[in-house]
Amino acid sequence: MAELRTVPLSALPAPSAPALDARTELAEAVKGRVSQADGDRLAYARDFWPLGLIFQREGRVPPPPDLIVWPSSEDEIQAVIAVARRRRLPVIPYGAGSGVCGGTWAVNGGIALDLKRLDRISPVDPAARTVDADAGVMGETLERRLAADGWQLGHAPSSMYMSTVGGWLAARSAGQLSSRWGKIEDMVTSVRAVLGTGERIETPERPFSGPDVAQLLIGSEGTLCVFTRARLRVFPLPEGRAFHGYDFKSLADGLEAIRVMFRAGLRPSVVRLYDPFDTAIVGDQKPHVSTSSPAQKPLLSRELLPALYRVLAPQTLGRPGFMNRAASLFKKSRLVLVFEGEAQRALDEDASARTLCARLGATDLGPEPAQKWLAARYDVSYRMSKVFEGGAFADTFEVAAPWERVLEVYERVRAAVAPHAFVLCHFSHAYLEGCSLYFSFVGAAPEGQERERYETIWRIALSAAQSAGSNVSHHHGVGLLKARALHDALGDGRHALKMLKEHYDPDGIMNPGKLGL
Amino acid sequence: MAELRTVPLSALPAPSAPALDARTELAEAVKGRVSQADGDRLAYARDFWPLGLIFQREGRVPPPPDLIVWPSSEDEIQAVIAVARRRRLPVIPYGAGSGVCGGTWAVNGGIALDLKRLDRISPVDPAARTVDADAGVMGETLERRLAADGWQLGHAPSSMYMSTVGGWLAARSAGQLSSRWGKIEDMVTSVRAVLGTGERIETPERPFSGPDVAQLLIGSEGTLCVFTRARLRVFPLPEGRAFHGYDFKSLADGLEAIRVMFRAGLRPSVVRLYDPFDTAIVGDQKPHVSTSSPAQKPLLSRELLPALYRVLAPQTLGRPGFMNRAASLFKKSRLVLVFEGEAQRALDEDASARTLCARLGATDLGPEPAQKWLAARYDVSYRMSKVFEGGAFADTFEVAAPWERVLEVYERVRAAVAPHAFVLCHFSHAYLEGCSLYFSFVGAAPEGQERERYETIWRIALSAAQSAGSNVSHHHGVGLLKARALHDALGDGRHALKMLKEHYDPDGIMNPGKLGL
């Protein structure tokens, strides 16, 4: 992690002189929708990266943007970029701030470009089965609008209520149903954007000839362009869903089940395998669905984890390895599957999966674990700060790995992090080649040492994962958090990225520092 | 189509002075494997673009490359590019010459870089299910090697015996089974290449974060880089296949069947719908499978078409509209389907498709039409020149369109071309959003006017297709043939492409003129 500058939370530095000089021009560009108020600057200074909460406990905050602007059209975005180029001011495209890697932190100040006024959604084109959505459209708004007419994107990130179409594109978002409906890059048929040069671009519909410029811009995290609009595939709302939970004797058996399932051509929309520790506490994710089946009774409660941690912390501080070792006594791994689409096909696929899991010795838990998961799927993202209030910290760490490396990545990350924090993991977003690993960790440190402990955990976790063969990130993006790791992983490829940067953003104004650019 | 320079076939111009000056350095770069022999230069001057055969009848040939080199490693390719940059010599990456758009024509001379010595194939990694193949590996060689161990790529272009992995990447190739196994860009997990700057690049494995540089290079037709190696997905050889043919009362019904099938989640590996005229002659594609079913008896023979044309040409020259009108009396459209993979699933999917086709009033023809198609699938590509020997010309013209435009593209291209040539069409390579249209035309013109007639047909066909809403090309690429059409289709996007070109190929040496660059 790069060394990050912070400023006092209670006394933000004034906007820079070049920014203030540009204010009149910017106001002209966006019809007066410019702010330099400290309240606004503070709001745009952070995203959901937990490091921001650790800073907050220290009374600090990342450097805020100098100004915030709210353009409402491509023309206005072009005008803002023209001003920024002339004045050499950073431009930070901003969706809804759900990022967890510092992708919108204004490390060098500049202009936060809030895109939420670009909020048009076209009617669905039923012949082409596509919808056009502006970059500032919120995920939940879009899915609700589509659902009213019987459609869905099938994109359901847990940030659904606080993320935008533009943000999804910028960070290569994956929704919880990606194994069936694809990641955002698979859902897009074309994009519109304004480059760092100020030029507009609209990419051709697939299939097409020549280089794929859309796929080049997707994932660029604001460093090359501002997305303005996307044409996205839509699907009819599922006619039916089939739910199932299974307990496997070991994590390895559960992973094997997913691998075999995908290789046999089954495509569950939801596939989530919990490691033994997470399995022990996963049962009550949705307290409002009652159950009397003993197989689904949780041993621990996820809700209670932070509380438990606070109780145990004084005893285990500096040696959370104890609880991690206790956790390793658990062996069972729970798999949650949902098949959806045409009703009979969903049932057929569910039946095939059942046969396959039985062959691997799994216990069939019936539909309830999966139904519970679905009902609670958006509950998690808003609950993190309580942990921090209690003096601890928590974060999630996600990567992907090929099937033959998944277990090793898991073991090595756990071994590396265990001395410093509690570690849980689940496996989801499966592919023919592998799947993603999604670690959660909860830790604490003596007062004043939280940041150091937090950064240590990240460093060793990323290092363990990468040396065991994982990639840098599955769907949380890179931002500042993983900039160094991406740099290392790209090897020679980083020249190609630098070239793109120099060409699409010749003045280096676009979201500086992100992706290591 | 751009105005193309030609040279006399019988007296090639000597290699240029700058090329001859570079010969010693190039010989050092590739251990002596350099040729300036006229026989070699002639062999590399053309590809399978039928325009080359028309030139040949005029005793002409496109400008040949000055020299041909055969590197055997990335190091050697880098050395060649270093010489070419210093000497400002064009570099034309060359696979096996199966292109049909002039993508390897040396319009400004230069160095033909034959990649066939890069011919390594790694063992399959059975855990990851991938294989590493060098750019110069021939398609048939690769599939045969894989099949020996029970694997397949599922990539089966009709050029299989005369195209390479590098060529597939360069032109965004689609095999005949793409509806199930994907186009080449879907099969690739990463690529290695040498850029026009001389730098090497290896792209990260999917899924990854940041811009997708692999997808940017794929489809670049030699204008940005030389591909050297690809990591490709492999699949087990299909455990089973299910075959079926259907006759629909109309083309529109057949198209509707494919659309509904794909939207219901069925993924046939082969899906080919023949227009009524093609249906009338398609029956005997594979004469060595005998049949007594009247439904499968052809009215005409594809083999006989050129002969028929020669007989009719004197009467119909200048008015092939007559035969096209006669053809429009046919109404039935034949659909050929193959499902493959796990045996029971293939049967299940075949059964679902059968129900669906019956609902649309199709006549079930049993397995034979599809079996015949599969057995004959590589027969077509090598039969074209006979048409030309007879004084006529033929070509194929492929685009893709969204479902709601497919019929209009079909009608308008037919209407536009009908006065000038016989037109057949089939529909294949289906997607959720649409499918490809693959037109074949056979025409003739008074001696000395063939080229003009041929170019006219292309111009009006492309114009009709694009104005009706098609893209530029589905899988034959762009080359010289469609450079202008791509330019028009890209609109603002062409700036983005130019920027890439300037950056990855700062001296403009990489395959000049292709993609309009």
Side-chain angles (χ1 to χ4, degrees):
Chain A
M1 216 174 302
E3 191 53 47
L4 294 168
R5 201 162 56 88
T6 57
V7 300
L9 181 57
S10 54
L12 297 187
S16 73
L20 292 177
D21 288 347
R23 204 199 135 102
T24 312
E25 291 168 34
L26 287 171
E28 266 168 42
V30 296
K31 303 199 178 65
R33 294 183 300 267
V34 183
S35 172
Q36 65 186 74
D38 275 1
D40 287 329
R41 295 173 64 219
L42 198 54
Y44 287 82
R46 284 192 336 215
D47 57 11
F48 256 58
W49 188 7
L51 182 60
L53 295 170
I54 294 175
F55 286 167
Q56 184 176 320
R57 273 211 306 251
E58 299 170 2
R60 313 283 298 178
V61 68
D66 297 303
L67 302 165
I68 300 96
V69 299
W70 289 268
S72 61
S73 68
E74 284 179 354
D75 284 344
E76 292 184 9
I77 293 169
Q78 288 182 296
V80 170
I81 287 183
V83 174
R85 289 193 71 179
R86 245 183 349 256
R87 303 276 186 174
R88 292 287 189 280
L89 287 169
V91 173
I92 303 118
Y94 198 99
S98 68
V100 292
C101 304
T104 56
W105 287 20
V107 286
N108 300 333
I111 306 163
L113 187 81
D114 188 323
L115 293 155
K116 282 193 284 296
R117 291 181 66 91
L118 276 73
D119 60 357
R120 292 169 310 163
I121 302 173
S122 78
V124 165
D125 176 339
R129 288 206 178 171
T130 55
V131 67
D132 290 346
D134 277 359
V137 170
M138 300 287 285
E140 194 272 338
T141 309
L142 179 57
E143 283 287 20
R144 188 158 32 83
R145 180 82 66 87
L146 289 172
D149 295 324
W151 302 102
Q152 66 164 355
L153 281 184
H155 193 61
S158 60
S159 63
M160 197 67 179
Y161 287 79
M162 49 185 292
S163 60
T164 61
V165 169
W168 297 346
L169 295 171
R172 288 194 177 272
S173 169
Q176 294 164 335
L177 315 174
S178 77
S179 299
R180 173 66 194 264
W181 305 111
K183 290 186 73 190
I184 194 69
E185 59 259 42
D186 308 311
M187 300 179 163
V188 166
T189 71
S190 70
V191 299
R192 293 177 64 95
V194 177
L195 302 175
T197 56
E199 287 171 300
R200 286 176 209 227
I201 180 169
E202 177 168 10
T203 65
E205 299 282 302
R206 298 193 208 175
F208 53 83
S209 305
D212 189 341
V213 175
Q215 292 297 326
L216 168 71
L217 298 177
I218 293 171
S220 60
E221 301 194 11
T223 62
L224 304 178
C225 72
V226 182
F227 288 106
T228 57
R229 195 166 176 76
R231 179 160 294 170
L232 299 159
R233 281 182 174 172
V234 297
F235 297 93
L237 283 171
E239 181 190 273
R241 283 199 172 110
F243 300 89
H244 245 101
Y246 299 93
D247 272 349
F248 286 86
K249 292 196 196 77
S250 70
L251 177 59
D253 286 349
L255 284 170
E256 179 63 5
I258 304 176
R259 194 183 67 84
V260 173
M261 205 175 296
F262 273 73
R263 294 217 162 145
L266 299 176
R267 290 293 175 273
S269 59
V270 177
V271 51
R272 288 169 86 90
L273 176 72
Y274 297 90
D275 78 352
F277 190 21
D278 209 351
T279 297
I281 62 172
V282 79
D284 75 335
Q285 273 197 320
K286 171 100 196 321
H288 44 288
V289 172
S290 70
T291 166
S292 55
S293 154
Q296 288 154 63
K297 204 111 173 261
L299 290 170
L300 289 167
S301 156
R302 183 185 283 274
E303 309 278 302
L304 291 177
L305 196 64
L308 184 69
Y309 192 84
R310 283 198 297 279
V311 173
L312 292 177
Q315 283 75 44
T316 61
L317 215 60
R319 50 184 189 92
F322 167 76
M323 188 145 168
N324 282 310
R325 276 197 302 279
S328 71
L329 297 174
F330 301 115
K331 296 294 174 205
K332 279 200 293 195
S333 260
R334 182 164 301 175
L335 176 65
V336 163
L337 291 179
V338 181
F339 289 96
E340 67 184 34
E342 195 261 316
Q344 187 55 49
R345 278 175 61 83
L347 290 173
D348 290 349
E349 292 195 71
D350 181 60
S352 299
R354 206 158 58 237
T355 307
L356 192 153
C357 290
R359 210 178 295 147
L360 285 160
T363 307
D364 186 336
L365 306 175
E368 208 162 350
Q371 287 165 337
K372 284 165 71 178
W373 178 86
L374 194 78
R377 62 180 163 159
Y378 296 129
D379 291 359
V380 147
S381 288
Y382 312 92
R383 296 199 174 162
M384 195 153 278
S385 56
K386 283 183 194 158
V387 179
F388 288 77
E389 284 162 19
F393 55 79
D395 207 344
T396 57
F397 165 67
E398 41 74 62
V399 291
W403 289 119
E404 76 275 22
R405 309 262 173 80
V406 171
L407 260 181
E408 194 178 342
V409 172
Y410 171 71
E411 300 289 3
R412 284 173 65 177
V413 171
R414 273 197 93 235
V417 177
H420 309 284
F422 293 164
V423 200
L424 312 175
C425 185
H426 70 257
F427 304 80
S428 51
H429 305 288
Y431 302 87
L432 281 173
E433 290 81 11
C435 69
S436 77
L437 300 91
Y438 195 101
F439 295 94
S440 302
F441 61 82
V442 184
E447 200 171 327
Q449 294 177 29
E450 294 94 338
R451 178 173 172 180
E452 192 194 327
R453 173 77 59 94
Y454 174 86
E455 291 184 350
T456 300
I457 290 173
W458 263 107
R459 198 177 54 247
I460 60 174
L462 259 174
S463 162
Q466 287 191 277
S467 65
S470 86
N471 73 356
V472 172
S473 162
H474 180 265
H475 61 279
H476 282 178
V478 173
L480 297 168
L481 172 62
K482 293 182 170 179
R484 179 78 222 174
L486 180 68
H487 182 268
D488 294 344
L490 279 177
D492 290 345
R494 76 181 78 107
H495 302 304
L497 199 54
K498 281 225 172 88
M499 282 187 206
L500 293 175
K501 174 71 174 174
E502 284 163 21
H503 234 93
Y504 285 119
D505 176 25
D507 303 309
I509 57 171
M510 298 301 296
N511 207 10
K514 315 308 154 38
L515 295 182
L517 292 170
Chain B
M1 214 174 301
E3 192 51 48
L4 293 168
R5 202 163 55 87
T6 58
V7 300
L9 180 58
S10 53
L12 297 187
S16 72
L20 291 177
D21 288 348
R23 204 199 135 102
T24 311
E25 291 168 36
L26 287 171
E28 265 168 43
V30 296
K31 305 199 177 68
R33 293 183 300 268
V34 183
S35 171
Q36 64 186 75
D38 275 0
D40 287 328
R41 295 172 64 218
L42 197 54
Y44 287 83
R46 285 192 336 214
D47 57 10
F48 255 59
W49 188 7
L51 182 60
L53 294 171
I54 294 176
F55 285 167
Q56 184 176 320
R57 272 213 304 251
E58 300 169 1
R60 314 283 298 177
V61 68
D66 296 304
L67 302 166
I68 300 96
V69 299
W70 289 267
S72 60
S73 67
E74 285 179 353
D75 285 343
E76 292 185 7
I77 293 169
Q78 287 183 296
V80 169
I81 287 184
V83 174
R85 288 193 71 179
R86 242 179 357 254
R87 303 278 186 171
R88 293 286 189 279
L89 287 169
V91 174
I92 302 117
Y94 199 100
S98 69
V100 291
C101 305
T104 56
W105 287 20
V107 286
N108 300 333
I111 306 163
L113 187 81
D114 188 322
L115 293 155
K116 281 193 286 295
R117 290 182 66 92
L118 276 74
D119 61 356
R120 292 168 308 162
I121 302 173
S122 77
V124 165
D125 177 338
R129 287 207 178 169
T130 55
V131 67
D132 290 346
D134 277 359
V137 170
M138 299 288 284
E140 194 274 338
T141 309
L142 179 56
E143 283 287 20
R144 188 159 31 85
R145 180 84 65 88
L146 290 171
D149 296 324
W151 302 102
Q152 66 163 355
L153 282 185
H155 194 60
S158 59
S159 63
M160 198 67 180
Y161 287 79
M162 50 186 291
S163 62
T164 60
V165 169
W168 298 345
L169 296 171
R172 289 195 176 273
S173 169
Q176 293 164 335
L177 315 175
S178 78
S179 299
R180 172 66 194 265
W181 306 110
K183 289 186 74 192
I184 195 69
E185 58 260 43
D186 309 310
M187 299 178 163
V188 166
T189 72
S190 69
V191 299
R192 292 179 64 95
V194 177
L195 301 174
T197 57
E199 287 171 299
R200 286 176 207 226
I201 181 168
E202 178 167 9
T203 65
E205 298 282 304
R206 299 192 209 175
F208 54 83
S209 306
D212 190 340
V213 175
Q215 291 298 326
L216 168 70
L217 298 177
I218 293 171
S220 60
E221 301 194 10
T223 63
L224 304 177
C225 72
V226 181
F227 288 106
T228 56
R229 197 165 173 77
R231 180 161 292 171
L232 299 159
R233 282 182 173 172
V234 296
F235 297 93
L237 283 172
E239 182 189 274
R241 283 199 172 111
F243 300 90
H244 245 100
Y246 301 93
D247 271 349
F248 287 85
K249 292 197 196 77
S250 70
L251 177 59
D253 286 349
L255 284 169
E256 179 63 6
I258 304 176
R259 194 183 68 83
V260 173
M261 205 175 296
F262 274 74
R263 295 220 162 141
L266 299 176
R267 290 293 174 275
S269 59
V270 176
V271 51
R272 288 170 87 90
L273 177 71
Y274 297 90
D275 78 352
F277 190 21
D278 210 351
T279 297
I281 62 172
V282 80
D284 74 335
Q285 273 198 322
K286 173 104 194 321
H288 43 289
V289 172
S290 69
T291 167
S292 55
S293 154
Q296 287 155 63
K297 203 115 174 257
L299 290 168
L300 289 166
S301 157
R302 183 184 282 276
E303 308 278 302
L304 291 177
L305 195 65
L308 184 68
Y309 191 86
R310 282 197 299 278
V311 172
L312 293 177
Q315 284 76 45
T316 62
L317 213 61
R319 50 187 190 92
F322 167 76
M323 187 145 170
N324 282 309
R325 276 196 303 280
S328 72
L329 298 174
F330 301 116
K331 296 293 175 206
K332 279 200 293 195
S333 261
R334 182 163 301 175
L335 175 65
V336 163
L337 292 179
V338 181
F339 289 96
E340 66 184 35
E342 196 260 315
Q344 187 56 50
R345 279 176 60 83
L347 290 174
D348 290 348
E349 291 195 73
D350 181 59
S352 300
R354 207 158 58 237
T355 306
L356 193 153
C357 290
R359 210 178 295 147
L360 284 160
T363 307
D364 185 337
L365 306 176
E368 209 163 348
Q371 287 166 337
K372 282 163 73 178
W373 177 85
L374 194 79
R377 62 180 163 160
Y378 297 129
D379 290 358
V380 148
S381 286
Y382 312 93
R383 296 198 176 162
M384 193 153 278
S385 56
K386 283 182 194 158
V387 178
F388 288 78
E389 284 164 19
F393 54 80
D395 206 344
T396 57
F397 165 67
E398 41 75 63
V399 292
W403 289 119
E404 75 275 23
R405 308 261 175 83
V406 172
L407 260 182
E408 194 179 341
V409 171
Y410 170 72
E411 300 288 3
R412 283 175 62 178
V413 170
R414 272 197 93 234
V417 177
H420 308 285
F422 293 163
V423 199
L424 312 174
C425 184
H426 70 257
F427 304 79
S428 51
H429 305 286
Y431 302 87
L432 282 173
E433 290 82 12
C435 70
S436 76
L437 299 91
Y438 195 102
F439 296 95
S440 302
F441 61 82
V442 183
E447 200 170 326
Q449 294 176 30
E450 293 94 339
R451 179 173 172 181
E452 192 194 326
R453 173 77 57 93
Y454 174 86
E455 291 183 352
T456 300
I457 290 173
W458 263 107
R459 197 176 55 248
I460 61 175
L462 259 174
S463 164
Q466 287 190 278
S467 65
S470 86
N471 73 356
V472 173
S473 162
H474 180 265
H475 61 278
H476 282 177
V478 174
L480 298 169
L481 172 62
K482 293 181 170 179
R484 179 78 222 176
L486 180 70
H487 182 268
D488 295 344
L490 280 177
D492 290 347
R494 78 182 77 110
H495 302 304
L497 198 56
K498 279 224 172 89
M499 282 186 204
L500 293 174
K501 174 72 175 175
E502 283 163 21
H503 234 93
Y504 285 119
D505 176 24
D507 303 309
I509 57 171
M510 298 300 295
N511 207 10
K514 314 308 155 37
L515 295 181
L517 291 170

